[in-house]
Amino acid sequence: MPVPTAESSVLPTPELATGPGRPPTRGDRSPWRIPLRPPDAGLLTLLLAAGLWVYALPRIGFREMGDYGLLDRLPATYYLALLVLTAGFVLSLRRAGTAPWWPAAHCAALLFALKAPPAVLYDAVRYPWASKHDAVVDTMLANGELRPHAALSGNMSAYDQWPGFFTLNAGLVRAFGVESAAAYANWAPIVLGLLMMPVLVLIYRTFCHDWRLVWTAVWIFQLANWVGQDYFAPQGLAYLLHLTVIAVVLRHFVRPGSAGRLRDRTFRDPAAAPVPPPTGNRQRAVCVVMLAPLIAAVNATHQLTPVMLCICLLALNLTRRYRNYGLLVVAGLLMLTWDLTMGRPLFVETLSTLRDSLGELTQNSRAGYAGQLTGPGPELAGTANVLMVLAVAALAGAAVVLRRRLTRSALPLLLVSAAPVPLFAVNDYGGEMLFRVYLFGLPGAAFFAAAALVPAVEGTHRSRAKALRRKAAAVALPAVLLVLLAGFMPSYYGKEKMYYTPPEETALVTRALDNAPDGSLILATSGSFPQALHRYDRLEHWFFAEQELPENEKMLKDPAGYLADGIPPGTRAYVVLTRTQDVYTAGEGLLPAGGFETLRSKLSASPLFRTVESHPYGVVLEYRPATRRTTTR
């Protein structure tokens, strides 16, 4: 009988193990007995992180948030779950080329771990201003029509002029059979994030075949996406559509003969992917026809995103590889057609303000109305925001300098990321331009930041320099990911006290606005409180503190007289002051310390206003003009 070799003894064939005609014994291996393998490290880390996260979830004290938002209300096990996820992701990158599903699973788990707690726990819509989007959906379902040319207060006319997001959600509310979109609004960041992952992978794989770099870029994108534009709002949906258009263009609009030396691997970075196959004029024309409805959907959903899309397509035309004027013309015509028809009122109004905002770089790059955060949590969040931007920019800049071959190969992505920056010179977009430019530049910045951390793999030749680079990357990658994670937490959750509103406050506002007669004027310090624009099509609004701090300090000297002077004669008016307004105006620096309490006490004591309802979470006051006439005689 032949003697089995050492190799055959590890994985013996059935014939060698049992012998021909001999029944298998208890110790023999057979084709029906599969050897057990140890669990994969990726599975273990995912299970451990999930267990820690689930254990931490009910222990998150979101109802008793202090000055630091959720940061000091998240238990240690929650932070430990994030650390385990990060460690598992770094380990999974070692097998990213053969098992890319493990980094993908960790990226999806990170998204869920970071942004799902409000969706699971909160009994109110996160971000009080998101309730106005729910109000638009409710109004659309109730009225069954749009009024793009109606003058609606509270800057609500724009939502009827760009109704794509609200029309979609009106259909979802009917399809799901829920009472309103508020039932699922807090899940928007997770849904949009999961839909965005394959789009990002498609974009990154266009320029890179190294799965380690691709998934690291996705991971960094999620950690750096702290700007909160993926909530229940038109911007999140329009951003997803925008990236989808860019991904299709990068994959299927390459001009013939434009790759040049990039077709030769010797002129490419080891991680760089070959330029996608070129397409002829007929194929590109078909792609334009297919993309036109998607671009039209972007135009129907959001005001600023079509501008960003046209600027990005214009930047791609600066390269010989993607010089396709036809698509740019189609995108521009669709944008102008919508702006001059459905969106004409706001479009004309914006044009009239360009003279004042054009070239005002400092003013256009401000954040919010006052731009001066106050309080420990908001100040920490503001500092973390700046440091996160600088960190991602520094990493991306290092990759552009140190990996010039990869930069040349991915130059279109670099141009697309830098294209939105000139918009700082045009408009401030209501104090939001800073966040929007960062958001639209983030996909490319995340890719190049990952390129700075993931070393290139070049053949099998080893040298001391390459070994040192690998060792440095083995330390730098997890360290930088942990630093970015540490920056994400205060950036995203540091101001959570103004983002969560108790149901009692929502009920108070809803009662007040339901009882207000049609045509009444609702006064509040800002529109950032729950149900602020409930029945917006039947009521008028004046958010009187949304101005610079010096003006509000003057207002606080005689708030009753200030408001009375601004209320048109014969108008029924109600003042609604809530806890969330107090937190928001203090955190955003709209009112000085103690200013909101001063405002509430002076208005409550004034004979010009009668208290309709007083509650620990707020107060509702009715304006009494007859009293004013009596007191002025």
Side-chain angles (χ1 to χ4, degrees):
M1 179 180 293
V3 179
T5 63
E7 182 178 354
S8 64
S9 64
V10 177
L11 293 173
T13 63
E15 184 173 89
L16 286 174
T18 62
R22 181 169 64 89
T25 62
R26 184 176 181 179
D28 291 332
R29 292 188 179 185
S30 72
W32 314 108
R33 188 185 294 269
I34 301 175
L36 295 177
R37 295 181 180 179
D40 193 285
L43 178 61
L44 290 176
T45 53
L46 284 174
L47 292 176
L48 178 58
L52 292 170
W53 188 86
V54 171
Y55 177 82
L57 198 63
R59 292 165 175 79
I60 297 177
F62 67 96
R63 297 184 187 278
E64 301 86 22
M65 281 185 283
D67 292 335
Y68 288 96
L70 273 185
L71 294 180
D72 56 354
R73 295 297 182 266
L74 295 169
T77 47
Y78 177 85
Y79 291 105
L80 183 58
L82 298 180
L83 293 178
V84 171
L85 265 182
T86 304
F89 173 75
V90 174
L91 291 175
S92 69
L93 289 179
R94 297 181 179 183
R95 297 175 52 204
T98 57
W101 52 84
W102 286 123
H106 280 80
C107 285
L110 177 72
L111 173 68
F112 197 87
L114 290 177
K115 297 186 176 181
V120 177
L121 296 175
Y122 286 7
D123 45 12
V125 176
R126 187 175 186 254
Y127 298 126
W129 51 88
S131 63
K132 66 183 178 182
H133 303 144
D134 181 35
V136 178
V137 176
D138 289 343
T139 303
M140 184 176 293
L141 288 171
N143 298 337
E145 64 177 358
L146 299 173
R147 296 182 295 165
H149 300 291
L152 301 174
S153 69
N155 296 321
M156 297 299 286
S157 298
Y159 295 124
D160 276 9
Q161 296 166 26
W162 279 269
F165 173 80
F166 308 105
T167 304
L168 171 64
N169 279 279
L172 292 178
V173 169
R174 290 279 175 84
F176 293 156
V178 294
E179 184 177 352
S180 69
Y184 58 82
N186 286 342
W187 289 97
I190 295 93
V191 174
L192 291 174
L194 291 174
L195 293 175
M196 206 171 298
M197 278 180 55
V199 179
L200 290 172
V201 170
L202 182 61
I203 292 175
Y204 296 153
R205 287 287 288 178
T206 303
F207 303 103
C208 174
H209 64 73
D210 188 345
W211 279 109
R212 300 174 307 150
L213 198 159
V214 169
W215 287 116
T216 302
V218 174
W219 188 275
I220 292 176
F221 177 88
Q222 292 184 359
L223 291 179
N225 188 16
W226 49 263
V227 290
Q229 297 298 332
D230 54 359
Y231 72 110
F232 183 73
Q235 175 66 97
L237 176 61
Y239 185 60
L240 173 63
L241 298 176
H242 163 86
L243 288 183
T244 303
V245 173
I246 295 298
V248 173
V249 171
L250 294 176
R251 295 292 292 187
H252 300 290
F253 278 77
V254 177
R255 293 178 62 84
S258 61
R261 295 192 299 177
L262 292 178
R263 292 287 182 192
D264 187 352
R265 171 156 292 284
T266 59
F267 292 99
R268 298 202 309 264
D269 185 276
V275 177
T279 53
N281 292 334
R282 180 176 297 178
Q283 291 172 295
R284 291 199 300 276
V286 171
C287 286
V288 169
V289 173
M290 295 176 63
L291 283 179
L294 202 59
I295 298 174
V298 175
N299 282 274
T301 302
H302 196 245
Q303 310 97 297
L304 182 64
T305 306
V307 179
M308 293 288 192
L309 179 60
C310 288
I311 290 176
C312 291
L313 294 177
L314 177 61
L316 287 177
N317 275 271
L318 299 177
T319 67
R320 191 174 69 169
R321 204 184 317 175
Y322 294 103
R323 193 167 296 156
N324 298 283
Y325 296 113
L327 180 62
L328 177 61
V329 169
V330 169
L333 287 176
L334 286 173
M335 180 179 67
L336 288 176
T337 300
W338 191 276
D339 288 344
L340 295 176
T341 53
M342 285 287 290
R344 179 179 175 82
L346 184 62
F347 180 67
V348 173
E349 179 184 341
T350 303
L351 288 179
S352 65
T353 63
L354 288 182
R355 179 181 299 178
D356 297 330
S357 62
L358 198 62
E360 296 291 335
L361 297 179
T362 303
Q363 181 71 8
N364 293 344
S365 60
R366 68 190 175 96
Y369 292 98
Q372 184 64 45
L373 300 174
T374 58
E379 289 175 359
L380 177 61
T383 302
N385 296 165
V386 175
L387 293 178
M388 287 286 282
V389 173
L390 294 177
V392 175
L395 288 170
V400 169
V401 173
L402 299 177
R403 300 187 69 170
R404 289 186 292 273
R405 290 186 177 183
L406 181 62
T407 302
R408 181 178 179 183
S409 177
L411 180 62
L413 183 57
L414 180 63
L415 292 175
V416 165
S417 300
V421 174
L423 286 180
F424 278 132
V426 179
N427 197 271
D428 69 339
Y429 199 65
E432 294 256 333
M433 187 60 75
L434 176 66
F435 302 116
R436 304 304 169 97
V437 168
Y438 174 78
L439 179 67
F440 281 87
L442 184 56
F447 175 81
F448 287 102
L453 298 172
V454 178
V457 178
E458 194 167 15
T460 57
H461 177 69
R462 294 185 178 183
S463 65
R464 180 174 297 179
K466 291 179 182 178
L468 289 175
R469 283 199 296 269
R470 289 190 179 92
K471 291 181 180 180
V475 176
L477 177 61
V480 170
L481 295 186
L482 289 176
V483 169
L484 293 178
L485 176 61
F488 174 89
M489 295 306 296
S491 296
Y492 196 73
Y493 284 126
K495 298 193 291 183
E496 198 66 19
K497 188 177 181 180
M498 68 176 69
Y499 298 160
Y500 169 73
T501 56
E504 295 86 353
E505 180 180 340
T506 303
L508 171 70
V509 177
T510 305
R511 283 195 303 272
L513 271 58
D514 280 339
N515 294 329
D518 289 358
S520 298
L521 176 63
I522 306 300
L523 292 81
T525 55
S526 76
S528 297
F529 64 99
Q531 295 292 84
L533 289 154
H534 176 57
R535 298 182 65 218
Y536 69 91
D537 58 329
R538 298 174 180 268
L539 303 172
E540 300 295 321
H541 302 83
W542 178 20
F543 304 130
F544 55 87
E546 290 184 345
Q547 55 190 358
E548 299 296 334
L549 179 60
E551 292 298 320
N552 286 329
E553 289 176 336
K554 295 179 183 178
M555 177 267 295
L556 288 176
K557 295 178 180 178
D558 181 18
Y562 179 90
L563 297 183
D565 290 339
I567 298 175
T571 302
R572 294 286 298 270
Y574 298 86
V575 180
V576 180
L577 302 176
T578 66
R579 163 207 167 272
T580 303
Q581 292 179 53
D582 185 4
V583 176
Y584 182 84
T585 54
E588 294 294 328
L590 295 177
L591 293 177
F596 189 88
E597 184 56 36
T598 299
L599 174 69
R600 173 172 174 165
S601 59
K602 286 187 175 182
L603 290 180
S604 299
S606 172
L608 294 176
F609 294 91
R610 179 182 68 88
T611 300
V612 176
E613 184 175 357
S614 183
H615 194 280
Y617 290 100
V619 62
V620 179
L621 307 171
E622 181 184 7
Y623 176 54
R624 303 173 65 190
T627 306
R628 188 184 190 196
R629 288 195 299 269
T630 302
T631 57
T632 55
R633 288 178 180 176

